[in-house]
């Protein structure tokens, strides 16, 4: 699964740590999701989408 | 660059494991001191010999609590992967050694070594995580 997390984060000038803090997860998790090593659960994907004010499919796309 | 703080669940895990390890060592020392070599299995010797087992059960409980209290799903996945690799490692090694015992004259491996082998498997699991995800997980 591909995602636009890095781009969305950069648009807001957030570090991985900033995003992790806003989501209540570890920076390791943010890095793993951004680099495509880990696909988040549905509840976490909803939290990410809610934070950016977007729909899940606007952030995550199937390969 | 400063290292991010460890998840609180890891700190609690260490706080649980250390006193349990000390209790284990004390119980092993007590049993070794009080039970003579080749003692028959009386109620007293069995209870004393099993005393360190309570601490070993405490380690299992601490590991279970770690998985329950790790509310970060990615970190929890890393730990679960380590536990699965460790279980596979221990099962494979003990099964292979068991076959060697069955068909050859290799020395018998006491069942006591299953747990230390499993712990050794945790390091293998950490290595697998690092090689496949670039992330070892906690307890580094």
């Amino acid at each position: 699964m591909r995602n636009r997390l890095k781009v969305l984060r950069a648009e807001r000038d957030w570090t991985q740590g900033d995003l992790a803090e806003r989501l209540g997860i570890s920076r390791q998790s943010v890095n793993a999701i951004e680099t495509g090593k880990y696909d988040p659960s549905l509840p976490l994907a909803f939290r990410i989408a809610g934070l950016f004010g977007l729909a899940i499919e606007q952030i995550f796309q199937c390969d | 660059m400063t290292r991010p703080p460890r998840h609180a669940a890891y700190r609690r895990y260490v706080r649980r494991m250390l006193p349990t390890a000390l209790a284990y060592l004390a119980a092993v020392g007590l049993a070794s001191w009080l039970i003579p070599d080749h003692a028959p299995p009386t109620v007293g010797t069995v209870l004393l010999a099993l005393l360190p087992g309570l601490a070993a059960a405490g380690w299992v409980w601490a590991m279970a609590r770690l998985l329950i209290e790790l509310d970060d799903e990615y970190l929890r996945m890393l730990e679960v992967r380590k536990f699965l690799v460790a279980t596979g490692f221990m099962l494979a090694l003990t099964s292979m050694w068991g076959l060697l015992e069955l068909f050859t004259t290799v020395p018998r491996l006491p069942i006591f070594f299953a747990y230390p082998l499993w712990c050794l498997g945790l390091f293998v699991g950490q290595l697998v995580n690092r090689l496949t995800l670039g992330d070892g997980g906690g307890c580094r």
Side-chain angles (χ1 to χ4, degrees), chain B residues 92-114:
Chain B
L93 273 188
T94 52
S95 298
M96 284 190 281
W97 194 262
L99 287 166
L100 284 176
E101 284 182 11
L102 201 60
F103 295 115
T104 72
T105 57
V106 294
R108 292 187 69 82
L109 179 72
I111 201 166
F112 166 83
F113 284 106

Short mmCIF file of all heavy atoms in Angstrom, two decimals, chain B residues 92-114:
data_model
loop_
_atom_site.label_atom_id
_atom_site.label_comp_id
_atom_site.label_asym_id
_atom_site.label_seq_id
_atom_site.Cartn_x
_atom_site.Cartn_y
_atom_site.Cartn_z
N ALA B 92 12.02 -25.73 17.07
CA ALA B 92 12.84 -26.40 16.05
C ALA B 92 14.07 -27.03 16.70
O ALA B 92 14.39 -28.20 16.44
CB ALA B 92 13.26 -25.39 14.98
N LEU B 93 14.75 -26.27 17.57
CA LEU B 93 15.98 -26.79 18.18
C LEU B 93 15.70 -27.99 19.09
O LEU B 93 16.40 -29.00 19.02
CB LEU B 93 16.68 -25.69 18.98
CG LEU B 93 17.64 -24.79 18.22
CD1 LEU B 93 18.39 -23.88 19.19
CD2 LEU B 93 18.64 -25.59 17.41
N THR B 94 14.67 -27.86 19.95
CA THR B 94 14.38 -28.96 20.88
C THR B 94 13.88 -30.20 20.12
O THR B 94 14.20 -31.32 20.51
CB THR B 94 13.35 -28.55 21.95
OG1 THR B 94 12.21 -27.98 21.30
CG2 THR B 94 13.92 -27.54 22.92
N SER B 95 13.12 -30.00 19.04
CA SER B 95 12.66 -31.14 18.25
C SER B 95 13.83 -31.84 17.59
O SER B 95 13.93 -33.08 17.59
CB SER B 95 11.67 -30.69 17.17
OG SER B 95 10.55 -30.12 17.77
N MET B 96 14.75 -31.05 17.02
CA MET B 96 15.90 -31.65 16.35
C MET B 96 16.79 -32.39 17.34
O MET B 96 17.24 -33.50 17.08
CB MET B 96 16.69 -30.57 15.60
CG MET B 96 16.00 -30.14 14.31
SD MET B 96 17.04 -29.12 13.28
CE MET B 96 16.89 -27.55 14.06
N TRP B 97 17.00 -31.76 18.51
CA TRP B 97 17.83 -32.42 19.52
C TRP B 97 17.14 -33.69 20.03
O TRP B 97 17.79 -34.71 20.29
CB TRP B 97 18.16 -31.48 20.68
CG TRP B 97 19.26 -32.02 21.53
CD1 TRP B 97 19.13 -32.71 22.70
CD2 TRP B 97 20.66 -31.98 21.24
NE1 TRP B 97 20.36 -33.09 23.17
CE2 TRP B 97 21.32 -32.65 22.29
CE3 TRP B 97 21.41 -31.44 20.19
CZ2 TRP B 97 22.70 -32.81 22.32
CZ3 TRP B 97 22.78 -31.59 20.24
CH2 TRP B 97 23.41 -32.27 21.28
N GLY B 98 15.83 -33.62 20.17
CA GLY B 98 15.06 -34.78 20.61
C GLY B 98 15.22 -35.95 19.65
O GLY B 98 15.35 -37.11 20.06
N LEU B 99 15.25 -35.66 18.36
CA LEU B 99 15.44 -36.73 17.36
C LEU B 99 16.84 -37.31 17.46
O LEU B 99 17.04 -38.51 17.33
CB LEU B 99 15.19 -36.17 15.96
CG LEU B 99 13.71 -35.91 15.65
CD1 LEU B 99 13.56 -35.06 14.40
CD2 LEU B 99 12.97 -37.23 15.50
N LEU B 100 17.81 -36.40 17.71
CA LEU B 100 19.18 -36.89 17.89
C LEU B 100 19.27 -37.81 19.10
O LEU B 100 19.94 -38.85 19.07
CB LEU B 100 20.14 -35.71 18.07
CG LEU B 100 20.51 -34.93 16.81
CD1 LEU B 100 21.37 -33.72 17.17
CD2 LEU B 100 21.25 -35.82 15.83
N GLU B 101 18.56 -37.44 20.19
CA GLU B 101 18.55 -38.27 21.40
C GLU B 101 17.90 -39.63 21.10
O GLU B 101 18.32 -40.66 21.63
CB GLU B 101 17.76 -37.58 22.51
CG GLU B 101 18.49 -36.45 23.17
CD GLU B 101 17.67 -35.81 24.29
OE1 GLU B 101 16.65 -36.38 24.70
OE2 GLU B 101 18.06 -34.73 24.75
N LEU B 102 16.87 -39.59 20.25
CA LEU B 102 16.12 -40.82 19.93
C LEU B 102 16.98 -41.80 19.12
O LEU B 102 16.93 -43.01 19.35
CB LEU B 102 14.87 -40.42 19.13
CG LEU B 102 13.70 -41.38 19.09
CD1 LEU B 102 13.18 -41.65 20.49
CD2 LEU B 102 12.59 -40.79 18.23
N PHE B 103 17.74 -41.27 18.19
CA PHE B 103 18.43 -42.15 17.24
C PHE B 103 19.94 -42.28 17.47
O PHE B 103 20.59 -43.09 16.83
CB PHE B 103 18.18 -41.68 15.81
CG PHE B 103 16.73 -41.79 15.42
CD1 PHE B 103 15.98 -40.67 15.14
CD2 PHE B 103 16.12 -43.04 15.34
CE1 PHE B 103 14.64 -40.77 14.78
CE2 PHE B 103 14.78 -43.15 14.99
CZ PHE B 103 14.04 -42.02 14.71
N THR B 104 20.49 -41.42 18.31
CA THR B 104 21.94 -41.50 18.55
C THR B 104 22.21 -41.45 20.06
O THR B 104 21.27 -41.42 20.86
CB THR B 104 22.70 -40.34 17.86
OG1 THR B 104 22.42 -39.13 18.57
CG2 THR B 104 22.31 -40.18 16.41
N THR B 105 23.46 -41.40 20.41
CA THR B 105 23.82 -41.41 21.84
C THR B 105 24.25 -40.02 22.33
O THR B 105 25.07 -39.91 23.24
CB THR B 105 24.96 -42.41 22.09
OG1 THR B 105 26.05 -42.05 21.24
CG2 THR B 105 24.51 -43.83 21.81
N VAL B 106 23.68 -38.96 21.74
CA VAL B 106 24.03 -37.61 22.22
C VAL B 106 23.51 -37.47 23.66
O VAL B 106 22.55 -38.14 24.04
CB VAL B 106 23.40 -36.49 21.34
CG1 VAL B 106 23.97 -36.50 19.95
CG2 VAL B 106 21.89 -36.59 21.33
N PRO B 107 24.14 -36.58 24.46
CA PRO B 107 23.66 -36.42 25.85
C PRO B 107 22.24 -35.84 25.87
O PRO B 107 21.84 -35.09 24.97
CB PRO B 107 24.66 -35.44 26.47
CG PRO B 107 25.37 -34.81 25.33
CD PRO B 107 25.31 -35.74 24.18
N ARG B 108 21.47 -36.20 26.91
CA ARG B 108 20.10 -35.71 27.02
C ARG B 108 20.10 -34.22 27.39
O ARG B 108 20.88 -33.79 28.24
CB ARG B 108 19.34 -36.49 28.08
CG ARG B 108 19.08 -37.93 27.70
CD ARG B 108 18.18 -38.60 28.72
NE ARG B 108 16.83 -38.07 28.68
CZ ARG B 108 15.90 -38.47 27.81
NH1 ARG B 108 16.19 -39.39 26.90
NH2 ARG B 108 14.70 -37.97 27.84
N LEU B 109 19.24 -33.47 26.73
CA LEU B 109 19.11 -32.04 27.03
C LEU B 109 18.00 -31.88 28.07
O LEU B 109 16.84 -32.20 27.78
CB LEU B 109 18.75 -31.26 25.76
CG LEU B 109 18.55 -29.75 25.91
CD1 LEU B 109 19.89 -29.05 26.14
CD2 LEU B 109 17.87 -29.17 24.69
N PRO B 110 18.34 -31.41 29.29
CA PRO B 110 17.27 -31.24 30.30
C PRO B 110 16.21 -30.26 29.80
O PRO B 110 16.54 -29.26 29.15
CB PRO B 110 18.01 -30.67 31.52
CG PRO B 110 19.44 -31.02 31.30
CD PRO B 110 19.65 -31.03 29.82
N ILE B 111 14.95 -30.56 30.11
CA ILE B 111 13.83 -29.73 29.65
C ILE B 111 13.94 -28.30 30.21
O ILE B 111 13.38 -27.36 29.65
CB ILE B 111 12.49 -30.39 30.03
CG1 ILE B 111 11.38 -29.85 29.14
CG2 ILE B 111 12.16 -30.21 31.49
CD1 ILE B 111 10.12 -30.68 29.20
N PHE B 112 14.71 -28.18 31.28
CA PHE B 112 14.98 -26.87 31.88
C PHE B 112 15.49 -25.86 30.86
O PHE B 112 15.24 -24.66 30.96
CB PHE B 112 16.02 -27.05 32.99
CG PHE B 112 16.65 -25.79 33.49
CD1 PHE B 112 16.01 -25.02 34.45
CD2 PHE B 112 17.87 -25.36 33.00
CE1 PHE B 112 16.58 -23.84 34.90
CE2 PHE B 112 18.45 -24.19 33.45
CZ PHE B 112 17.79 -23.43 34.40
N PHE B 113 16.19 -26.34 29.82
CA PHE B 113 16.82 -25.44 28.86
C PHE B 113 15.86 -24.86 27.82
O PHE B 113 16.26 -24.03 27.00
CB PHE B 113 17.99 -26.14 28.15
CG PHE B 113 19.21 -26.25 29.01
CD1 PHE B 113 19.58 -27.47 29.58
CD2 PHE B 113 19.98 -25.14 29.31
CE1 PHE B 113 20.68 -27.58 30.39
CE2 PHE B 113 21.09 -25.23 30.13
CZ PHE B 113 21.44 -26.45 30.67
N ALA B 114 14.60 -25.31 27.85
CA ALA B 114 13.63 -24.79 26.87
C ALA B 114 13.47 -23.26 26.99
O ALA B 114 13.48 -22.54 25.99
CB ALA B 114 12.28 -25.48 27.06
#
